[in-house]
Amino acid sequence: MANGQILHIDPLELQFPFELKKQISCSMQLTNKNDDYVAFKVKTTNPKKYCVRPNTGVVLPHSTCEVIVTMQAQREAPPDMQCKDKFLLQSVVVQPGIAAKDITPEMFNKDSNNQVDECKLRVVYVSPPQPPSPVREGSEEGSSPRASVSDNGNLNQADLNMMAKAFAEQQENTNFDADFSVVKSLISKLTEEKNSAIQRRNKLQQDLELLRRQNKKSGGGIPIIYVVIVGLIGLVLGYILK
């Protein structure tokens, strides 16, 4: 049947954004451009898989009826995402004032001399729409600012300069942090060595004072070797402390 003889059907194929374990719906519009009342009926080759609401009805003259087709949740995807299911939409001119409850299967029987039009609709699986990536208006704290793009697709020079400046500052801060860490470690090490040298000097002074007292008690002088050793140690410690 050429679309538009009795009812105009849009679309002529039912497209489902296929996802596993999820009910998916699509709709079609039935438009009556004539002055007659038109009854319709929707059939499918796989009635357990689909739910059609309404599956029968009456389209008033110069009006439109929407039909919702819902596919039940599927546990497996068909091979190559190809679906062999089909729908058949039958339409026939009826008496004015007829209601949906008055529609009978005999109205769509071609043997009853009724002019029954039929339109076959195929089912197509399509990829579900991808959610758009969120676009951040400003740069986050601690991250480099993003350059904006002009209408012709080129980056603005001001934005490029801003990015270069931010990168240089970030690099400078990184280098400063690394140098400061090295200097801090070196100062800590020198402080420990200085404290150790001071302790050794104090210990030597105590030993020298003890030798002097012992020498006074014994009535002799301090051996020259001790004086030389203490003097050398004092020079070394003085150099280290500086």
Side-chain angles (χ1 to χ4, degrees):
M1 181 195 81
N3 194 4
Q5 287 187 0
I6 296 182
L7 289 179
H8 180 80
I9 306 169
D10 183 36
L12 289 176
E13 64 178 17
L14 302 177
Q15 296 185 355
F16 292 91
F18 187 85
E19 292 185 57
L20 290 176
K21 300 180 181 180
K22 182 178 179 181
Q23 275 192 351
I24 307 168
S25 298
C26 69
S27 65
M28 56 181 171
Q29 303 290 331
L30 309 181
T31 303
N32 181 8
K33 299 181 179 180
N34 303 315
D35 297 328
D36 302 316
Y37 282 68
V38 178
F40 70 89
K41 183 177 183 179
V42 182
K43 297 180 179 180
T44 178
T45 57
N46 197 342
K48 293 183 179 180
K49 184 177 179 180
Y50 301 94
C51 177
V52 183
R53 290 292 181 271
N55 62 342
T56 60
V58 176
V59 186
L60 302 179
H62 305 286
S63 62
T64 300
C65 176
E66 182 180 29
V67 177
I68 305 296
V69 181
T70 302
M71 182 178 65
Q72 304 302 318
Q74 301 298 301
R75 296 182 179 180
E76 297 179 356
D80 301 327
M81 295 296 290
Q82 299 296 321
C83 183
K84 297 181 180 180
D85 301 333
K86 288 182 174 55
F87 283 80
L88 178 66
L89 190 142
Q90 297 176 306
S91 57
V92 61
V93 176
V94 294
Q95 295 294 328
I98 193 172
K101 63 180 181 178
D102 300 325
I103 298 175
T104 61
E106 289 76 14
M107 293 181 180
F108 303 96
N109 188 354
K110 293 182 179 180
D111 296 336
S112 60
N113 296 325
N114 291 332
Q115 182 184 354
V116 180
D117 286 335
E118 295 182 344
C119 180
K120 294 181 179 179
L121 309 173
R122 59 192 296 260
V123 176
V124 178
Y125 293 153
V126 296
S127 300
Q130 299 296 328
S133 300
V135 178
R136 299 175 183 175
E137 296 181 357
S139 58
E140 292 184 352
E141 183 179 357
S143 62
S144 299
R146 298 181 179 179
S148 60
V149 182
S150 60
D151 295 338
N152 57 3
N154 298 325
L155 291 174
N156 295 328
Q157 185 63 36
D159 293 328
L160 290 175
N161 295 337
M162 186 181 298
M163 290 177 63
K165 182 178 179 181
F167 178 79
E169 291 178 354
Q170 184 176 3
Q171 190 70 20
E172 183 179 354
N173 292 335
T174 302
N175 295 335
F176 176 79
D177 292 341
D179 295 340
F180 180 77
S181 178
V182 173
V183 172
K184 184 177 180 181
S185 177
L186 181 59
I187 292 175
S188 177
K189 184 177 180 180
L190 291 176
T191 303
E192 292 178 358
E193 293 180 354
K194 179 180 179 180
N195 294 334
S196 178
I198 292 175
Q199 292 178 359
R200 288 196 295 268
R201 185 185 65 177
N202 294 336
K203 182 68 168 55
L204 288 174
Q205 289 178 349
Q206 292 176 1
D207 293 342
L208 181 60
E209 184 65 24
L210 181 62
L211 287 175
R212 288 177 179 176
R213 293 177 181 178
Q214 291 178 353
N215 185 58
K216 288 182 179 180
K217 291 180 180 181
S218 60
I222 300 175
I224 190 62
I225 186 65
Y226 289 138
V227 176
V228 174
I229 293 174
V230 171
L232 291 175
I233 294 175
L235 290 175
V236 172
L237 292 176
Y239 176 77
I240 292 175
L241 292 176
K242 292 180 179 180

